[in-house]
Amino acid sequence: MRTADLTLDTVVRLLSENEASARQTLSMVPSETSMSGLAKLPMLLDPYHRYFFNEGDDPDRWHFRGAQRLRDLEMELTVPLLQELGRASYASVRPLSGLNGMTLVLGALGGEPGSTVVTVSPEQGGHYATPQVAGRLGLDVEFLRGPDPHSLDLEHAAELLARVRPSLVYVDQSHCLFPVDVKSLVETVRAASPGTLVHVDASHWLGLVLGDAFPNPLDQGADSWGGSTHKTFPGPQKAVVLTRDPQVEQLIRDAQDFLISNHHFAATIALGISLLEFREFGPAYTRAVLEHTGRFGRLLTERGLTVAAADRGYSAGHQLWLDTEADGIAPKDAAARLSAASLKVNFMAGLPGFTGQGVRIGLNEATYQGLSGDDIDELADIFVAAVRDTEPAALLAERTAALRTRTPYGACAPDGSPLLATALDLCEGALRRTGAAAGRPLTEASR
């Protein structure tokens, strides 16, 4: 399509077509999860355009007043809920994404240029970007390694830590089926290099920690933890950093003003709405994610696909890795067949233990969309038929669409409710109103 063809009508048509398709599709990409429509609402409204810098509500610091009326939605909703669910005394909602959060933590806690940080080797699932980001900040990088794709060698870690005395151990599992034993790692750090800080980037696990399905890294001795808010946590594309240590808090605070200016105020409100919802359904949702992931791994194995780590129970979290090459199917072909059946997955190189590419899937969004019980068996049947190309893709896509009729977790606005009326009025107003002469007051919708 040529740029000249992309009129506003065309753009809206393409968005409409994509939305219609998305509502009949299941994403099984483990690094993505949707959030409720109510949580998306701030993105359409005035807060999306506003700066917010006055966390302390200091009358002398309202240099940007556009967010003043909604200050409490960040400081009395989002931040306290994050502290409550994350069991932290301090929470930064400044980072814009997981990688942006990584940059903030490395910049704040990594020490002066020339300092050493230790992170997880890519062979054990470490994030591809950590060494590059650290290097661009002038930091030297050493790696924690292990005997297999899912474990760390703590004896090697102790020797490394005692030798290099790093400023920071940054635990950054990105490709991971089983989380690092944070408690044992922290004990190793404290014994070998007592002055070293430990930060756990739990981007993939964040929802599982906030929902009490995984241990909290702070309870296990880490100095700080955080990660992106849109993987196992069903929130906006953003990231957070949490700690109980006032010195770590101050280091984060000192760095964040210079690394992140506009932290996207509307997204922090969306995060607050998501946290408010999650406080109610989070434990049930996260337990279901773990149950569905283990069950799905067994179902795929029973149906003849090769699933990594079968001898270890497939996964401790929401991810599964498939070696479709071992089944005679190129991963890109498997992903394309699944897409035709309205199932979206990753295929990629670099999965620990794989010599070639693999297919990476997650049960987080399928669970959030309300699948349960026999739905997981039906999903496995559709999945395997698509990968093996044994049934027409159009028929499989119809079966996938039928699964999307389930009721998702999260808040909804029931038909006829004042909440729905007000939300729809806000949406209409964002599209129609111009200035003070616009339509009826918003409050009429909720009367």
Side-chain angles (χ1 to χ4, degrees), residues 434-439:
T434 55

Side-chain angles (χ1 to χ4, degrees), residues 110-130:
E112 296 297 321
S115 300
T116 298
V117 297
V118 170
T119 189
V120 179
S121 165
E123 288 75 21
Q124 276 67 46
H127 196 284
Y128 76 94
T130 310

Side-chain angles (χ1 to χ4, degrees), residues 6 15 38 160 194 218 264 320 368 395 418 429:
L6 292 175
L15 286 170
L38 285 174
L160 173 66
L218 299 180
H264 299 182
L320 295 169
Y368 180 75
L395 295 180

Side-chain angles (χ1 to χ4, degrees), residues 425 432-442 444:
D425 193 72
R432 290 185 181 276
R433 289 189 175 87
T434 55
R440 58 190 170 87
L442 293 176
E444 285 188 13

Side-chain angles (χ1 to χ4, degrees), residues 99-113 115-119 129-141 167-172 199 201 241 252 255 259:
L99 202 148
N100 185 237
M102 173 197 294
T103 305
L104 171 61
V105 171
L106 290 173
L109 308 183
E112 296 297 321
S115 300
T116 298
V117 297
V118 170
T119 189
T130 310
Q132 289 288 331
V133 173
R136 290 173 185 273
L137 292 171
L139 304 171
D140 297 326
V141 178
S167 54
L168 174 68
V169 171
Y170 189 91
V171 182
D172 64 333
H199 176 82
D201 184 334
V241 180
I252 295 292
L259 291 174

Side-chain angles (χ1 to χ4, degrees), residues 295-305 307 314 377 384:
R295 179 174 177 178
F296 202 71
R298 292 191 298 273
L299 290 170
L300 295 188
T301 299
E302 290 168 2
R303 286 156 175 75
L305 294 185
V307 185
Y314 305 105
D377 296 67
V384 174

Side-chain angles (χ1 to χ4, degrees), residues 216-359:
N216 186 301
L218 299 180
D219 292 341
Q220 295 183 303
D223 298 287
S224 55
W225 77 286
S228 52
T229 54
H230 57 267
K231 292 181 171 65
T232 51
F233 182 82
Q237 294 200 350
K238 195 165 178 58
V240 296
V241 180
L242 303 98
T243 185
R244 297 172 185 165
D245 187 324
Q247 293 182 315
V248 171
E249 170 188 350
Q250 192 60 52
L251 289 169
I252 295 292
R253 189 179 295 277
D254 290 344
Q256 66 186 12
D257 287 345
F258 300 96
L259 291 174
I260 307 164
S261 175
N262 177 14
H263 63 290
H264 299 182
F265 184 54
T268 66
I269 299 173
L271 177 59
I273 296 170
S274 298
L275 287 163
L276 193 62
E277 297 171 354
F278 193 83
R279 184 170 62 176
E280 301 302 320
F281 72 75
Y285 157 75
T286 53
R287 286 195 302 270
V289 168
L290 300 188
E291 177 188 340
H292 294 165
T293 302
R295 179 174 177 178
F296 202 71
R298 292 191 298 273
L299 290 170
L300 295 188
T301 299
E302 290 168 2
R303 286 156 175 75
L305 294 185
T306 302
V307 185
D311 59 327
R312 298 181 58 144
Y314 305 105
S315 176
H318 66 299
Q319 289 194 43
L320 295 169
W321 300 342
L322 310 183
D323 187 357
T324 60
E325 287 187 342
D327 302 321
I329 304 160
K332 67 179 181 63
D333 293 336
R337 292 173 183 178
L338 287 162
S339 181
S342 294
L343 298 174
K344 308 303 181 185
V345 303
N346 286 144
F347 75 93
M348 58 176 58
L351 294 176
F354 282 64
T355 56
Q357 294 182 327
V359 173

